[in-house]
Amino acid sequence: MNINLEMIIQATINFFIFYFILYKFVFKKTIAIMDSRKAEVEKSFAKVKEQEDRAILLKEQYDKDVINYKNEGLKLVESYKRKADQVYGEIIEESKKEASNIKDRALKEIAKEKEKARVEIKEEIVDLSLQLSTRILEKEISEDKHRELIDEFIAKVGS
């Protein structure tokens, strides 16, 4: 095997010329395209990371808001419950007072009616006694007749 030194030198020179041409026209543009593509990909990743961080912050804020609204809702419900209990108590107290007033008025009315009935009964007894006395005086009454009038008087008073 013969090694041809001249051919090796020519091949090496051709290789370097070809490499220089490729470097000058292809490699720079390819590297520039690859660098710009890399920059775009890194920019996209940064944007996605930024959006992810923002989404995490929004979710945390949302969770805080949900907890706050829930607590506010519970406080509001508790407040309305206390107000309802207060109104219920006031209504019960007012009903008790009204019932007591009605009872007192009824008792007073009963006492008045009782006194009125007592007065009417007394007046009736007096009237009947006067009528009986008048009859007795008008007639001369025998003992049997007298007993009969008294029984009749008692029967009228009793009914």
Side-chain angles (χ1 to χ4, degrees):
M1 238 203 233
N2 284 342
I3 300 182
N4 191 352
L5 189 60
E6 188 178 317
M7 196 187 261
I8 292 176
I9 292 174
Q10 283 179 350
T12 306
I13 291 173
N14 283 338
F15 175 77
F16 282 115
I17 292 172
F18 183 66
Y19 181 79
F20 178 73
I21 293 172
L22 284 177
Y23 180 78
K24 183 84 172 168
F25 296 109
V26 176
F27 287 165
K28 282 186 178 181
K29 289 180 182 178
T30 305
I31 290 173
I33 290 172
M34 289 174 55
D35 285 343
S36 71
R37 188 74 176 138
K38 181 181 176 185
E40 285 180 28
V41 168
E42 287 175 352
K43 185 179 178 183
S44 294
F45 279 131
K47 188 175 181 181
V48 167
K49 178 66 175 162
E50 180 183 316
Q51 288 176 347
E52 183 181 335
D53 292 342
R54 186 167 178 246
I56 290 171
L57 289 175
L58 287 174
K59 184 183 181 308
E60 289 173 358
Q61 184 62 40
Y62 173 78
D63 291 342
K64 287 178 186 177
D65 288 345
V66 166
I67 290 171
N68 287 338
Y69 291 140
K70 183 178 178 183
N71 290 337
E72 288 176 15
L74 290 174
K75 287 178 186 176
L76 189 61
V77 166
E78 189 64 32
S79 171
Y80 283 133
K81 184 179 177 187
R82 274 186 259 126
K83 286 179 183 178
D85 288 343
Q86 181 182 1
V87 169
Y88 173 76
E90 290 172 359
I91 289 171
I92 294 296
E93 187 63 33
E94 190 175 312
S95 320
K96 286 179 181 179
K97 285 179 184 178
E98 186 65 26
S100 177
N101 289 341
I102 290 171
K103 183 181 174 184
D104 290 344
R105 285 191 302 247
L107 288 174
K108 287 177 184 177
E109 189 67 30
I110 289 170
K112 285 179 185 177
E113 289 296 321
K114 196 175 182 181
E115 186 60 34
K116 184 177 174 183
R118 189 175 287 143
V119 168
E120 287 177 3
I121 289 174
K122 281 183 182 179
E123 289 175 358
E124 188 72 27
I125 290 173
V126 168
D127 287 344
L128 289 174
S129 296
L130 284 174
Q131 287 176 5
L132 182 61
S133 298
T134 306
R135 283 187 185 170
I136 290 174
L137 290 176
E138 288 177 355
K139 305 179 188 179
E140 196 174 305
I141 304 175
S142 65
E143 189 174 328
D144 291 331
K145 189 71 171 166
H146 186 65
R147 285 197 184 274
E148 188 180 315
L149 287 174
I150 290 173
D151 288 337
E152 185 181 323
F153 172 73
I154 291 173
K156 282 186 180 178
V157 171
S159 57

